[in-house]
Amino acid sequence: MFTGIVEELARIKTIEAKTQGIRFTVSAKTVMDDLKIGDSILVNGVCLTIVSKKKDSFCMDLVEETLNKSNLGELIVGDYVNLERAMKVSDRFGGHIVQGHVETVGVILDKQTQDDEAMISIGLDPEWMRYCIPKGSITLDGVSLTIAAINGNIVEIALIPYTLENTTLGIKGKSDTLNIETDIIGKYIDRLLIIDGEDSEIDTNILKAIRHIQYGES
């Protein structure tokens, strides 16, 4: 699990094509001190697994599902990515619950900068708007943020100077894409309401098999 508090803005060192998917090598500093092979790490909002590690870099394999559901396939060598290690139980919970399971890709429709701050407008597939509320949480490229306003299928986000300086959101502009993960709490509530209001069909054969395993029923 993650919290959407970016630890490091790092760069892609190499991209290697594989039989299925691709392999990213990322050059990093801050996250390297306790990173181990097999660890999970959030890369632009996508939860990936470390498959190899050197002193100043690490590798991750991206499968087709990841490439289809996120914008990681658009990246090239030298691009910056947001990194966050999985949280420890003893950590402060600075953002919100982030799983690293990107649901969709949004598009920056507008970015207005004033002094050191910015306001971005992001267009989303209407399917995901049901999980967005004003002042609610949303994850953009792995960054935990608060929705300032909603207009149809457009969400507006205010960005403070620190976020602009320390994440990819300071680099990205109009027409760029963002990995989107909506608030898991809203999704659970939605699922509970759907189940409560529908007559789900039960496969009796599967039910019998489960009861046989659990209770020895025939």
Side-chain angles (χ1 to χ4, degrees):
M1 188 173 72
F2 308 88
T3 68
I5 304 300
V6 173
E7 296 183 272
E8 183 172 0
L9 190 60
R11 300 188 82 165
I12 298 176
K13 184 177 181 180
T14 64
I15 299 176
E16 175 189 352
K18 298 175 66 65
T19 304
Q20 293 184 338
I22 58 177
R23 173 169 290 188
F24 273 2
T25 301
V26 175
S27 297
K29 295 179 181 179
T30 304
V31 302
M32 299 302 298
D33 58 355
D34 65 348
L35 205 64
K36 302 183 297 296
I37 293 175
D39 281 355
S40 295
I41 189 163
L42 204 65
V43 180
N44 276 7
V46 182
C47 180
L48 298 172
T49 302
I50 308 298
V51 297
S52 67
K53 177 195 172 192
K54 294 182 179 180
K55 182 179 180 180
D56 59 354
S57 65
F58 60 90
C59 299
M60 305 149 296
D61 290 338
L62 284 68
V63 296
E64 290 297 327
E65 173 71 8
T66 301
L67 297 172
N68 291 336
K69 289 291 181 67
S70 74
N71 64 12
L72 296 186
E74 301 174 12
L75 299 176
I76 60 174
V77 172
D79 278 350
Y80 284 95
V81 290
N82 299 321
L83 301 180
E84 180 191 354
R85 290 167 290 187
M87 69 176 294
K88 299 177 182 178
V89 175
S90 58
D91 283 350
R92 289 186 175 89
F93 211 126
H96 71 283
I97 299 173
V98 177
Q99 294 182 294
H101 301 163
V102 170
E103 298 151 335
T104 187
V105 173
V107 178
I108 299 176
L109 302 177
D110 191 27
K111 184 177 185 180
Q112 298 291 331
T113 303
Q114 185 174 3
D115 297 327
D116 294 330
E117 301 180 353
M119 178 71 75
I120 58 173
S121 300
I122 304 142
L124 298 181
D125 187 318
E127 175 185 357
W128 303 103
M129 294 306 301
R130 65 192 301 161
Y131 307 120
C132 299
I133 61 171
K135 308 307 177 186
S137 297
I138 192 169
T139 308
L140 309 180
D141 268 5
V143 185
S144 173
L145 294 163
T146 301
I147 297 173
I150 295 175
N151 182 16
N153 64 321
I154 299 172
V155 296
E156 295 184 358
I157 310 286
L159 303 174
I160 62 173
Y162 182 88
T163 303
L164 293 170
E165 293 171 7
N166 293 278
T167 75
T168 58
L169 299 181
I171 303 168
K172 291 194 171 186
K174 189 175 180 179
S175 300
D176 285 335
T177 60
L178 296 168
N179 292 323
I180 307 295
E181 180 183 338
T182 56
D183 191 356
I184 188 173
I185 295 175
K187 288 178 282 189
Y188 272 122
I189 294 172
D190 183 59
R191 178 62 176 161
L192 288 169
L193 291 173
I194 290 173
I195 290 177
D196 187 52
E198 71 180 8
D199 295 324
S200 301
E201 292 185 6
I202 297 174
D203 190 318
T204 56
N205 291 326
I206 293 177
L207 181 60
K208 287 179 181 179
I210 292 172
R211 287 180 173 172
H212 176 72
I213 293 170
Q214 291 180 325
Y215 311 113
E217 295 181 5
S218 57

